[in-house]
Coordinates of all heavy atoms in Angstrom, one line a residue:
I1 N -5.8 -2.6 -43.8 CA -6.9 -3.5 -43.3 C -6.4 -4.1 -42.0 O -7.1 -4.1 -40.9 CB -7.3 -4.5 -44.3 CG1 -7.9 -3.9 -45.5 CG2 -8.3 -5.5 -43.6 CD1 -8.3 -4.9 -46.6
A2 N -5.1 -4.6 -42.0 CA -4.6 -5.2 -40.7 C -4.5 -4.1 -39.6 O -4.8 -4.4 -38.5 CB -3.2 -5.8 -41.0
G3 N -4.1 -2.9 -40.0 CA -4.0 -1.9 -38.9 C -5.4 -1.5 -38.3 O -5.5 -1.3 -37.1
V4 N -6.4 -1.5 -39.2 CA -7.7 -1.2 -38.7 C -8.2 -2.3 -37.8 O -8.8 -2.0 -36.7 CB -8.7 -1.0 -39.9 CG1 -10.1 -0.9 -39.4 CG2 -8.3 0.3 -40.7
L5 N -8.0 -3.5 -38.2 CA -8.4 -4.6 -37.3 C -7.7 -4.6 -36.0 O -8.3 -4.9 -35.0 CB -8.2 -6.0 -38.1 CG -9.0 -6.3 -39.3 CD1 -8.6 -7.5 -40.0 CD2 -10.5 -6.3 -38.9
I6 N -6.4 -4.3 -36.0 CA -5.7 -4.2 -34.7 C -6.3 -3.2 -33.8 O -6.5 -3.4 -32.6 CB -4.2 -3.9 -35.0 CG1 -3.5 -5.1 -35.7 CG2 -3.5 -3.6 -33.7 CD1 -2.2 -4.9 -36.2
L7 N -6.6 -2.0 -34.4 CA -7.2 -0.9 -33.6 C -8.6 -1.3 -33.1 O -8.9 -1.0 -31.9 CB -7.2 0.4 -34.4 CG -5.8 1.0 -34.7 CD1 -6.0 2.2 -35.6 CD2 -5.1 1.4 -33.4
V8 N -9.3 -1.9 -33.9 CA -10.7 -2.3 -33.5 C -10.7 -3.3 -32.4 O -11.4 -3.1 -31.4 CB -11.5 -2.9 -34.7 CG1 -12.8 -3.6 -34.3 CG2 -11.8 -1.8 -35.8
V9 N -9.8 -4.3 -32.4 CA -9.7 -5.3 -31.4 C -9.3 -4.6 -30.1 O -9.8 -4.8 -29.0 CB -8.8 -6.4 -31.7 CG1 -8.5 -7.4 -30.5 CG2 -9.4 -7.2 -32.9
F10 N -8.3 -3.7 -30.2 CA -7.7 -3.1 -29.0 C -8.8 -2.1 -28.4 O -9.0 -2.1 -27.2 CB -6.5 -2.2 -29.4 CG -5.9 -1.5 -28.3 CD1 -5.3 -2.1 -27.2 CD2 -5.9 -0.1 -28.2 CE1 -4.7 -1.5 -26.1 CE2 -5.4 0.6 -27.2 CZ -4.8 -0.1 -26.1
A11 N -9.5 -1.4 -29.2 CA -10.5 -0.5 -28.7 C -11.7 -1.3 -28.1 O -12.3 -0.9 -27.1 CB -11.1 0.4 -29.9
T12 N -12.0 -2.4 -28.7 CA -13.1 -3.3 -28.1 C -12.7 -3.8 -26.7 O -13.5 -3.7 -25.8 CB -13.4 -4.4 -29.0 OG1 -13.8 -4.0 -30.3 CG2 -14.5 -5.3 -28.4
L13 N -11.5 -4.3 -26.6 CA -11.0 -4.8 -25.3 C -11.0 -3.7 -24.2 O -11.4 -3.9 -23.1 CB -9.7 -5.4 -25.4 CG -9.6 -6.7 -26.3 CD1 -8.1 -7.1 -26.5 CD2 -10.4 -7.8 -25.6
L14 N -10.6 -2.5 -24.6 CA -10.6 -1.3 -23.7 C -12.0 -0.9 -23.3 O -12.2 -0.7 -22.1 CB -9.8 -0.1 -24.3 CG -8.3 -0.1 -24.2 CD1 -7.8 1.2 -24.8 CD2 -7.8 -0.2 -22.8
S15 N -12.9 -0.9 -24.3 CA -14.2 -0.5 -24.0 C -14.9 -1.4 -23.0 O -15.7 -1.0 -22.1 CB -15.0 -0.3 -25.3 OG -15.2 -1.6 -25.9
L16 N -14.6 -2.7 -23.2 CA -15.2 -3.7 -22.3 C -14.7 -3.5 -20.9 O -15.4 -3.7 -19.9 CB -14.9 -5.1 -22.8 CG -15.7 -5.6 -24.0 CD1 -15.1 -6.9 -24.6 CD2 -17.1 -5.7 -23.7
G17 N -13.4 -3.2 -20.8 CA -12.8 -2.9 -19.4 C -13.5 -1.7 -18.8 O -13.8 -1.7 -17.6
F18 N -13.6 -0.6 -19.5 CA -14.3 0.6 -19.0 C -15.7 0.3 -18.6 O -16.3 0.9 -17.7 CB -14.1 1.8 -19.9 CG -12.7 2.4 -19.9 CD1 -12.0 2.3 -21.1 CD2 -12.2 2.9 -18.8 CE1 -10.7 2.9 -21.1 CE2 -10.9 3.5 -18.8 CZ -10.1 3.4 -20.0
W19 N -16.4 -0.5 -19.5 CA -17.8 -0.8 -19.2 C -17.9 -1.6 -17.9 O -18.8 -1.3 -17.1 CB -18.3 -1.7 -20.3 CG -19.7 -2.2 -20.1 CD1 -20.9 -1.4 -20.0 CD2 -20.2 -3.5 -19.9 NE1 -22.0 -2.2 -19.8 CE2 -21.6 -3.5 -19.7 CE3 -19.5 -4.7 -19.9 CZ2 -22.3 -4.7 -19.5 CZ3 -20.2 -5.9 -19.7 CH2 -21.6 -5.8 -19.5
Q20 N -17.0 -2.5 -17.6 CA -17.0 -3.2 -16.3 C -16.7 -2.2 -15.1 O -17.3 -2.4 -14.0 CB -16.0 -4.3 -16.3 CG -16.4 -5.5 -17.2 CD -17.6 -6.2 -16.7 OE1 -18.0 -6.1 -15.6 NE2 -18.3 -6.8 -17.6
I21 N -15.9 -1.2 -15.3 CA -15.7 -0.2 -14.3 C -17.0 0.5 -14.0 O -17.4 0.8 -12.8 CB -14.6 0.8 -14.7 CG1 -13.2 0.1 -14.8 CG2 -14.6 2.0 -13.7 CD1 -12.7 -0.4 -13.5
Q22 N -17.7 0.9 -15.1 CA -19.1 1.5 -14.9 C -20.0 0.6 -14.1 O -20.7 1.0 -13.2 CB -19.7 1.9 -16.2 CG -18.9 3.0 -16.9 CD -19.5 3.3 -18.3 OE1 -20.4 2.6 -18.8 NE2 -19.0 4.3 -19.0
R23 N -20.0 -0.7 -14.5 CA -20.8 -1.7 -13.8 C -20.4 -1.8 -12.3 O -21.3 -2.0 -11.5 CB -20.7 -3.0 -14.5 CG -21.3 -3.1 -15.9 CD -22.8 -3.1 -16.0 NE -23.3 -4.3 -15.4 CZ -24.6 -4.6 -15.3 NH1 -25.5 -3.7 -15.6 NH2 -25.0 -5.8 -14.8
L24 N -19.1 -1.7 -12.0 CA -18.7 -1.8 -10.7 C -19.2 -0.7 -9.8 O -19.7 -0.9 -8.7 CB -17.1 -1.7 -10.7 CG -16.5 -1.6 -9.3 CD1 -16.7 -2.8 -8.5 CD2 -15.0 -1.3 -9.5
H25 N -19.2 0.6 -10.4 CA -19.7 1.7 -9.6 C -21.2 1.6 -9.4 O -21.8 1.9 -8.4 CB -19.4 3.0 -10.3 CG -17.9 3.3 -10.4 ND1 -17.1 3.0 -9.4 CD2 -17.2 3.9 -11.4 CE1 -15.8 3.4 -9.7 NE2 -15.9 3.9 -10.9
W26 N -21.9 1.1 -10.5 CA -23.4 0.9 -10.4 C -23.7 -0.1 -9.3 O -24.6 0.1 -8.5 CB -23.9 0.4 -11.8 CG -25.3 -0.1 -11.7 CD1 -26.5 0.6 -11.6 CD2 -25.7 -1.5 -11.6 NE1 -27.6 -0.2 -11.5 CE2 -27.1 -1.5 -11.6 CE3 -25.0 -2.7 -11.7 CZ2 -27.8 -2.7 -11.5 CZ3 -25.7 -3.9 -11.6 CH2 -27.1 -3.8 -11.5
K27 N -23.0 -1.3 -9.3 CA -23.3 -2.3 -8.3 C -23.0 -1.8 -6.9 O -23.8 -2.2 -6.0 CB -22.4 -3.5 -8.7 CG -22.7 -4.8 -7.8 CD -24.1 -5.3 -8.0 CE -24.3 -6.0 -9.3 NZ -23.5 -7.2 -9.5
E28 N -21.9 -1.1 -6.7 CA -21.6 -0.6 -5.4 C -22.7 0.4 -4.9 O -23.1 0.4 -3.7 CB -20.2 0.2 -5.4 CG -19.0 -0.8 -5.6 CD -17.7 0.0 -5.7 OE1 -17.8 1.2 -6.0 OE2 -16.7 -0.7 -5.5
S29 N -23.2 1.2 -5.8 CA -24.3 2.1 -5.5 C -25.5 1.4 -5.2 O -26.3 1.7 -4.2 CB -24.5 3.1 -6.6 OG -25.6 4.0 -6.4
L30 N -25.8 0.3 -5.9 CA -27.0 -0.5 -5.7 C -27.0 -1.2 -4.3 O -27.9 -1.2 -3.6 CB -27.2 -1.5 -6.8 CG -28.4 -2.4 -6.7 CD1 -29.7 -1.7 -6.8 CD2 -28.3 -3.5 -7.8
I31 N -25.8 -1.7 -4.0 CA -25.7 -2.4 -2.7 C -25.9 -1.4 -1.6 O -26.5 -1.8 -0.6 CB -24.3 -3.1 -2.6 CG1 -24.2 -4.2 -3.6 CG2 -24.0 -3.6 -1.2 CD1 -22.8 -4.9 -3.7
A32 N -25.3 -0.2 -1.7 CA -25.4 0.8 -0.6 C -26.9 1.2 -0.5 O -27.4 1.4 0.6 CB -24.5 2.0 -1.0
Q33 N -27.6 1.3 -1.7 CA -29.0 1.7 -1.6 C -29.9 0.7 -1.0 O -30.7 1.0 -0.2 CB -29.5 2.0 -3.1 CG -30.8 2.6 -3.2 CD -31.3 2.8 -4.6 OE1 -30.8 2.1 -5.5 NE2 -32.1 3.8 -4.8
I34 N -29.6 -0.6 -1.3 CA -30.4 -1.7 -0.7 C -30.2 -1.7 0.8 O -31.1 -1.9 1.6 CB -30.1 -3.0 -1.4 CG1 -30.5 -3.0 -2.8 CG2 -30.8 -4.2 -0.6 CD1 -30.1 -4.2 -3.6
T35 N -28.9 -1.7 1.2 CA -28.6 -1.7 2.6 C -29.2 -0.6 3.4 O -29.8 -0.8 4.5 CB -27.0 -1.7 2.8 OG1 -26.4 -2.8 2.0 CG2 -26.7 -1.8 4.2
Q36 N -29.1 0.6 2.9 CA -29.7 1.7 3.6 C -31.2 1.6 3.7 O -31.8 1.9 4.7 CB -29.3 3.0 2.8 CG -29.9 4.3 3.5 CD -29.6 5.6 2.7 OE1 -29.0 5.5 1.6 NE2 -29.9 6.7 3.3
A37 N -31.9 1.2 2.6 CA -33.3 1.1 2.5 C -33.8 0.0 3.5 O -34.9 0.2 4.2 CB -33.8 0.8 1.1

């Protein structure tokens, strides 16, 4: 149980980091789109 909880917390933290990377690319694309328009 302890091992599963450790992996779940680690995977959750990693997924949040990768989600923010996706949000970063989305925001950069949005800013470029607004500026060009």
Side-chain angles (χ1 to χ4, degrees):
I1 295 175
V4 170
L5 290 176
I6 290 170
L7 291 177
V8 168
V9 173
F10 180 66
T12 301
L13 294 173
L14 277 184
S15 64
L16 288 172
F18 285 117
W19 176 65
Q20 288 297 335
I21 292 296
Q22 293 176 353
R23 296 282 294 175
L24 172 66
H25 295 325
W26 167 79
K27 184 64 72 64
E28 290 176 343
S29 175
L30 180 63
I31 292 173
Q33 187 179 30
I34 295 175
T35 302
Q36 181 181 6

